[in-house]
Amino acid sequence: MTHDSNVPYIGRATSRVDGPLKVTGGAKYAAEYAAPGLLHGYVVSGAIAKGRITSIDVSDAMTVPGVVDVLTHEHRARTAWLSYNYQDMIGPPGKPFRPLYDDKIQYSGQPVALVVAESFEASRAAAALVRVSYKSEEHITDLEAVKGQSYVPPKRRSGIAPPPKPRGDADDAFDAAPVKVKQQYRVPVEHHNPMEPFATTVVREQDGGLTIYDKTQGSQNNQAYICSIFGLSKDKVRVVNAFMGGGFGSGLRPAYQLYLAVLASQTLERSVRVALTRDQMFTFSYRPETIQTVSLGAEPSGKLTAIRHHAVAGTSHFEDHQEVVVNWSGLLYDCKNAKLTYELAKIDTHTPADMRAPGAVLGVFAIESAMDELAYEVGVDPVELRLLNYAEKDENDDKEFTSKALKACFKEGAERFGWSRRSPEPRSMRDGRELIGWGMATGVWEAQLMDTQARVTIHLDGTLEVASATSDIGTGTYTVMAMTGADMFGLPLEKVRVKLGDSSLPTAPVEGGSWAAASTCSAIKLACQALTKDLLEHARALADSPLKRARPEDVVARDGRLFLRDAPGTGVAIQDILRSAKLDELSAKGEAKPDSKVQKTHSSYTHSAIFCEVRVDEQLGVVRVARIVNAVAAGKIINPKTARSQILGGVVMALGSALEEETFSDHALGRFMNHNLAEYHMPVHADIKDIDVIFVDEQDELTNELGVKGLGEIGIVGTGAAIANAVFHATGARIRSLPITVDKLIDSPAFTAEP
Amino acid sequence: MNRYTFTQAVDADGAVREKIGADVRFIAGGTNLIDLMKYNVERPDRVVDITKLPMRDIAEAPHGGLRLGALVTNAVCAYDTRIAERYPLLREAILSGASPQLRNAATTGGNLLQRTRCYYFYDVDTPCNKRQPGSGCPAIGGLNRIHAILGTSEHCIATNPSDMNVAMAALGATVNVRGTSGERAIPILDFHRLPDDKPEVDTNLRGDELITSVDLPDEAFATHYTYLKLRDRASYAFALVSVAAALRMEGGTIAEARIALGGVAHKPWRRPEVEALLKGAKPGLQTFSKVADALLEGSRPQSQNAYKIQLAHRAIIRALTQAADGTPQSVADKAIL
Ligand SMILES: Cc1cc2nc3c(=O)[nH]c(=O)nc-3n(C[C@H](O)[C@H](O)[C@H](O)COP(=O)(O)OP(=O)(O)OC[C@H]3O[C@@H](n4cnc5c(N)ncnc54)[C@H](O)[C@@H]3O)c2cc1C
Ligand code: SF4
């Protein structure tokens, strides 16, 4: 297809520029890099939840041919002593877990040894022969058992807003309210389970430097982590994460195989790869279990008079992991009295981690379920109830919204779904033996911009390179970066090269929080503007330059030329500019930063309205999600194709969370037990029917340079509540503990008895 | 995974001879054995590949019916036109299991011997009587949502996870085996066993015996049958409860009935004396409900799986209804009707 440089890519459905590499196997992942003499490390995982290692017998393991060494807390190179050195940019307050640090066992599945061998097979065979003895201590992994000892985290986690100050008097207002809903909601532990298991390949370069191919959502975070622990300088450590087979937040913090691979490489002075098994994917990050209580007070009309939302979330004994769980309730609804509280309780597990829309998946499930309960209580349609209590401003922080097209989401979503044909009574719609339920909910997520740098380089051959240390965790960052560069220089996509996923590139934060597209593309735009300006400087220096008197705002770059916006005939070929300046290429940098002036007065969020139809067998309790409409307001949509994919993926993941996903703990053993993909259930193709994604029009001049809000997470938020609400509408059974599985429906008294 | 030696058998006698002595395992499709070896649950000294043995045919059985070679894959079996026409119950049960990739590799013999999916059994860092006799059964009082409600013992409450076995039990198949002391035929209901005080032993197959084939009897129940599988997601999950129902109808009455339950016991669960209650009966909710009561008699819930008793009860009624109506559960469209 020939490219018309007058029609921008931004806003047009564009296939992934890295798609061909991915489907041909050309995209290389962390465990796929080789090096001469590469050694293989296999992790030995601990068996108990708490206690001490009394001995580690490696004698049998060492007899396996090919085994080079077994690293343990008693046998390893010296690394940094202080837990401070193990801190990373994302980690919460506390003392980060230090692998193989001492004899202390802090959670079940903790790495206790690394077998290093000439082949993967030898390392695995030997790992089974490492005999570890323990002295157990009493442990508690059950949140229910410790929720009475919950506490407000004394130190807040950077980047995570604590609950807002209470407004009005929610306790009094609730007591006085003519209509009350007070319920408890539970979301269990879930694991991220990205397709690609965590892996690190450490390659020792000729000059003694380390090139570390790592599965991570942030190369520079992990580079800093390794430098700090091993006392290495940044120019000796390069972390590369060009491709990532999914992260969902599990790769925001350094995973322990990174440390172990570098430790082995430093100890043995060899290149080393450590890849985790699927089981071991259940031995670090996970979404914390939460127990939440929501109390809503309302007028008989449904107008809210009081919102109380209290959450207790599990965390480890060594770190206070925090998320924004309860704030959403005060943000979504106009209500004079609101009291939102968030506490932690310690259990003997690893620290939880951010998992796609951390906090919001939990808190919005609770508030949007409670709002549904209120809708039945007052006999008001769930959409009407939300409109009645619609927040025109951010009452948590007393700020305006940069934009909020949620009403359009309700309207367009309801129309597409056919919501007006809903019969309000539970159990009032059916098809044969199947009860039909229609439910809806609201979704919300932050629209953030993070400090991000980018570099763009125009080459003599007419190609443009755009570069930033950001990551593409499968979301389509390569593509939106290329599209932005292409539009700024009026080039076809084929002439734009993207570099990312490399700690040596211009500074960028971890990819997470749905901020990457807005931040990176804004930085690229600024860099392109700077580059255009530099090109103009050089162009003006040309003899007889037609742009001699042009100012930067007068010119545009397009199709390899720099010319006057108002007189496209007047311009110069970029090649000629470079040639006469005796340059092969010219680079410029850009840096996107949040606008602190706007932030003082405005809040920025994405919103969505989700409508869902479930069908439930009235005797067997089998739930099928027949269709979902998710209408999203997320500012400008850069690439409708990958944007839609993000929402689809979010919806599928929400379906998992609502109906299937739970990591089961045996609390007597203190151990997660369904640690594989046969027994940890996520949706399969047969579970997924119609998913309809709508992007409503939302103009936002304030949120950032491009009016882009980000999309990686909004699709999962609220969707679980919409499904749960639909199950209630179908069956009359309100299951407040996720996932809604057949056993819970069968056991629910409200679910039909046998005929 | 441990280090082991690997040999390839060329004929059945050779395979059986190889099996004597050390800790030896046959490998067929490997879809269960390899996983167990990776988890260090199975640590054989020697693995004998039997995939070169001539046991891949589906042929007419000597006394009527069909004979399935032990190496016939689940996919080949399910898509064989003779099976599809004569034994649709078996076909549907197989297709409700695992995934296309797994069914392409999984064999008839291997499926008969696949081991339980109890979480503890797969995790060598936990106790488990089945894996390590005498170490205890943490599933009792622990995570037992997926465990058995019938025929359990104080030593083990695991289930047999197979779908194929349930259909074969309903059909009344026979397992043909060969050992060092010759051949024998084991009726499918005697093939798997209850855990009692030896949960480490899943079946009555002897250590040296090779499964050579399975005979399906002539009576195929090809019109009034269903395989109803209830699970935690629409596909690619083991049964919480499954029911293979097969009826022979004469006019409007039931002349013969077979009902086998999966997901509820250490073996496919059948009670011929209960099936006899249906002989001469007209299909109807009340009758089916009584049969369900009788089939589940003696069921004992664990801490997390009481729902299975209710669920199985309802599933039996639904399956009998589907079978009587001649509207079998479709594996393609997962919707239950
Ligand atoms: C993720 C997953 C999901 C699954 N889902 C389902 C499901 O929903 N329903 C279901 O029914 N099954 C399911 N399965 C199980 C699958 O059906 C079995 O793994 C398969 O049938 C085993 O056959 P195989 O040939 O691969 O056996 P192998 O793994 O080769 O062998 C299994 C055992 O049988 C022995 N063996 C094999 N052949 C013979 C023989 N001829 N004589 C004597 N011993 C023999 C082996 O020594 C071994 O002990 C699933 C499996 C997986 C991994
Ligand atoms: S139920 Fe059986 S397999 Fe499971 S832990 Fe108990 S003994 Fe082991």
Side-chain angles (χ1 to χ4, degrees), chain A residues 124-125 128 279 433 617 619-620 624 660 666 671 673 675 679 681-682 687 741-743 752 754, chain B residues 1 39-40 43 119-120 123 125 143 145 232-235 240 307 310-311 313-314 317-318 335 337:
Chain A
R124 179 170 64 181
D279 301 44
R433 290 197 184 95
D617 188 287
Q619 277 117 32
L620 303 172
R624 299 192 295 136
E660 297 173 5
D666 181 306
R671 188 171 172 89
M673 288 307 303
H675 40 65
E679 261 67 49
H681 291 144
M682 292 181 281
D687 291 315
T741 42
V742 62
D743 48 335
T752 179
E754 231 180 293
Chain B
M1 190 182 273
Y39 294 135
N40 294 305
R43 295 179 65 75
Y119 314 123
Y120 304 94
D123 185 339
D125 285 328
L143 297 172
R145 185 178 165 272
D232 279 325
R233 58 184 171 194
S235 178
L240 296 168
Y307 78 96
Q310 268 297 325
L311 189 63
H313 199 268
R314 297 173 185 198
I317 296 175
R318 180 68 58 84
L337 298 172

Side-chain angles (χ1 to χ4, degrees), chain B residues 116 118-121 127-131 136-140 147 155-158 199:
Chain B
T116 185
C118 173
Y119 314 123
Y120 304 94
F121 177 71
C128 166
N129 283 332
K130 186 183 276 298
R131 176 169 32 77
C137 173
I140 297 174
H147 286 69
H155 305 284
C156 179
I157 56 170

Side-chain angles (χ1 to χ4, degrees), chain A residues 532-555:
Chain A
T532 309
K533 202 170 151 203
D534 292 352
L535 281 170
L536 178 63
E537 294 271 305
H538 287 292
R540 282 156 59 160
L542 293 175
D544 304 324
S545 172
L547 299 176
K548 209 137 235 150
R549 265 192 278 280
R551 291 164 305 169
E553 55 272 31
D554 299 334
V555 299

